[in-house]
Amino acid sequence: MRGKDNNPQKKGSSTASSTHITEQPMTWSNWYKHINWLNCTFILFVPLVGCICAYWTPLRLNTAIFAIVYYFNAGLGITAGYHRYWAHRCYKATLPLSIYLAAVGVSAGQGSIRWWSKGHRSHHRYTDTDKDPYSVKKGFWYSHIGWMVIHQNHKRIGRADVSDLDEDPVVIWQHKHYIKAAIFMTLVFPTLFCGLAWGDWRGGFVYGGILRVFFIQQATFCVNSLAHFIGEQPFDDRNSPRDHVLTALVTLGEGYHNFHHEFPSDYRNAIEWWQYDPTKWMIWIWKQLGLAYDLKQFRANEIEKGRVQQMQKKVDKMRSKIDWGIPLDQLPVMEWDEFIEASKKRALITIGGVVHDVTGFIKDHPGGKAFITSGVGKDATAIFNGGIYRHSNAAHNLLASMRVGIIRGGCEVEIWKGINAMAEGKGVESLAVGGPIRRSG
């Protein structure tokens, strides 16, 4: 009689079959299982067919104009609709505007509002982490298109709350009928429009349908990839989003991505009048027409806080690479008599309670030897800070490089620790303590 089946091969196969494909290394024998063939069909194979067909399909002027206009409307469906209205709730829209945005958004061929917004909210919540559905940390091409053509383990994607979308009848209807709506708006409608209007059935299908969808998909994908790779980070550099005019031009204004990740509920991506953001302008126009309302904007004061804080981080980073002299709290403490005695062997002067060795600088002093040697072995605070000449900021910085000690009794060491940070923050070597330095004892 046979006992239990202890065949390790069978056990291994059972374990492998129960493990999600993303947890298995890609090999020559299973690579095809890693590919999301459905997405590949609509994102890669169909556009390839469209490119081939375009070779034998002349592009008429009317069809070209229609394709561009339809492209712009579909783009607004994503940027103003899917993104700023539904994903981030940057403003409120009337029912007619909601229906329009849902319809033209479908024509971009990027999934339903609910699916798109859920993924995007996860992206914002878990930016640059393993829970980010299109994390740029996994590479440019992964964030651009790889996350769609390669299977993902959806259990590992960060959770996002879309309960508000589940209460929106437009969102629910579009999600329920997405496949039929997408086929009609992406391919059937442009074919019928161009065919019935000027007889260009094939041109409408190829240029107004397939290639238009392909270009708008690639433009939108640039927000996930290009906007995290090129540009500046004027508001925060802890994560990858960046601002760049090139990305803005490609994506109808979505390229000011560093600002957007810092202030996601602002209906604008570009806050300067000269920055390209047609989506912002269209939302503003809809407001004037009574189609949109309650446009959200972060207060200018809060935006400037972020900008100034990021500038300070850059300044601090530059400051850390510069030699500011020995920190005051690391200097040895000298008695006044020690200072006097040491001044007989080398040129030491005291300014603001700090001892400086100017031996090697006497011959290079722009004011001549007489004035600088007159302060050797003395308290030269008043002389240096305007008694004879009000020294420049550069002179203060140069003097800081000559620190060799601190006089006891002029200022306590602990006090100088605090003054050090304040003085260097102002770019000044030292502060006058007021009054003459007293001898200890």
Side-chain angles (χ1 to χ4, degrees):
M1 188 171 73
R2 298 179 61 185
K4 293 182 179 179
D5 189 350
N6 293 318
N7 189 335
Q9 184 174 4
K10 185 174 181 179
K11 280 189 175 182
S13 61
S14 176
T15 303
S17 62
S18 63
T19 304
H20 194 276
I21 187 63
T22 57
E23 306 297 323
Q24 302 174 29
M26 185 181 292
T27 64
W28 286 108
S29 61
N30 73 354
W31 66 268
Y32 62 92
K33 295 180 180 179
H34 286 264
I35 305 299
N36 187 325
W37 293 105
L38 180 63
N39 284 352
C40 279
T41 299
F42 292 107
I43 295 174
L44 298 176
F45 301 151
V46 172
L48 179 60
V49 171
C51 290
I52 295 173
C53 292
Y55 182 80
W56 290 283
T57 306
L59 176 60
R60 298 188 188 181
L61 179 60
N62 288 346
T63 302
I65 294 174
F66 167 78
I68 293 172
V69 172
Y70 199 25
Y71 174 96
F72 185 82
N73 280 268
L76 285 177
I78 297 299
T79 61
Y82 279 38
H83 188 207
R84 303 192 197 185
Y85 175 43
W86 280 294
H88 292 297
R89 295 300 192 185
C90 299
Y91 65 99
K92 295 179 181 178
T94 59
L95 182 59
L97 180 57
S98 295
I99 294 174
Y100 160 75
L101 291 172
V104 293
V106 166
S107 72
Q110 296 182 27
S112 71
I113 296 168
R114 189 183 187 282
W115 176 86
W116 197 101
S117 298
K118 183 178 181 181
H120 192 71
R121 289 180 181 182
S122 294
H123 166 65
H124 271 263
R125 187 179 184 187
Y126 301 100
T127 304
D128 297 341
T129 70
D130 288 338
K131 292 185 177 182
D132 182 348
Y134 28 88
S135 173
V136 76
K137 296 298 183 180
K138 297 180 180 179
F140 177 90
W141 289 111
Y142 180 87
S143 62
H144 186 81
I145 198 172
W147 67 279
M148 285 176 292
V149 299
I150 297 176
H151 279 297
Q152 290 194 73
N153 186 347
H154 295 285
K155 293 182 179 180
R156 291 187 173 274
I157 295 176
R159 293 181 59 189
D161 179 18
V162 291
S163 58
D164 58 315
L165 301 181
D166 290 336
E167 297 174 357
D168 188 325
V170 174
V171 174
I172 296 305
W173 189 94
Q174 193 227 46
H175 185 73
K176 183 177 179 181
H177 302 282
Y178 176 75
I179 298 298
K180 292 178 287 186
I183 292 174
F184 178 79
M185 292 300 293
T186 56
L187 299 175
V188 177
F189 173 72
T191 302
L192 290 175
F193 190 93
C194 295
L196 295 174
W198 49 81
D200 191 9
W201 300 87
R202 191 167 61 179
F205 180 76
V206 173
Y207 297 108
I210 296 176
L211 295 185
R212 176 194 59 82
V213 171
F214 172 70
F215 285 122
I216 199 168
Q217 284 177 343
Q218 297 304 312
T220 304
F221 299 164
C222 284
V223 179
N224 302 334
S225 56
L226 201 63
H228 288 257
F229 267 91
I230 65 170
E232 300 177 343
Q233 296 177 299
F235 299 99
D236 194 3
D237 62 358
R238 290 177 298 174
N239 292 319
S240 61
R242 299 170 180 272
D243 289 357
H244 200 284
V245 64
L246 176 61
T247 319
L249 291 171
V250 171
T251 60
L252 300 183
E254 300 282 67
Y256 300 101
H257 212 47
N258 191 254
F259 173 85
H260 172 64
H261 268 257
E262 279 297 290
F263 312 102
S265 61
D266 198 307
Y267 86 96
R268 308 162 299 171
N269 260 209
I271 56 175
E272 305 295 344
W273 66 268
W274 46 267
Q275 292 176 320
Y276 181 75
D277 188 0
T279 300
K280 171 189 68 178
W281 301 330
M282 283 305 304
I283 295 173
W284 182 85
I285 291 173
W286 292 333
K287 178 185 177 182
Q288 309 312 307
L289 297 174
L291 296 171
Y293 59 101
D294 194 17
L295 277 57
K296 296 179 182 177
Q297 289 184 225
F298 265 82
R299 290 183 296 171
N301 184 69
E302 303 310 306
I303 293 174
E304 286 308 305
K305 280 182 184 178
R307 198 196 304 271
V308 170
Q309 287 171 333
Q310 182 62 14
M311 290 170 63
Q312 185 63 53
K313 288 174 68 175
K314 293 179 179 178
V315 170
D316 290 342
K317 187 175 182 180
M318 295 173 62
R319 180 183 292 278
S320 67
K321 299 178 181 179
I322 298 174
D323 179 11
W324 296 93
I326 301 174
L328 292 173
D329 59 352
Q330 295 180 18
L331 292 173
V333 179
M334 302 175 66
E335 301 294 341
W336 181 258
D337 292 336
E338 291 181 69
F339 164 69
I340 296 296
E341 190 63 28
S343 297
K344 297 177 181 179
K345 300 178 181 178
R346 49 182 176 157
L348 300 181
I349 62 175
T350 298
I351 297 176
V354 183
V355 180
H356 304 82
D357 186 348
V358 296
T359 305
F361 184 67
I362 292 177
K363 63 180 182 301
D364 297 321
H365 186 242
K369 296 181 180 180
F371 288 127
I372 192 169
T373 53
S374 67
V376 173
K378 302 176 183 178
D379 172 21
T381 302
I383 297 174
F384 187 79
N385 288 329
I388 294 179
Y389 172 71
R390 185 179 179 85
H391 286 79
S392 66
N393 187 55
H396 280 270
N397 289 332
L398 180 60
L399 184 68
S401 67
M402 304 176 190
R403 299 169 180 162
V404 292
I406 294 177
I407 296 295
R408 186 190 301 279
C411 277
E412 293 295 333
V413 175
E414 290 301 318
I415 295 177
W416 273 108
K417 289 180 180 179
I419 294 178
N420 179 33
M422 182 174 65
E424 291 188 353
K426 295 179 179 179
V428 178
E429 186 276 330
S430 61
L431 302 175
V433 297
I437 300 296
R438 294 177 301 155
R439 299 188 185 188
S440 60

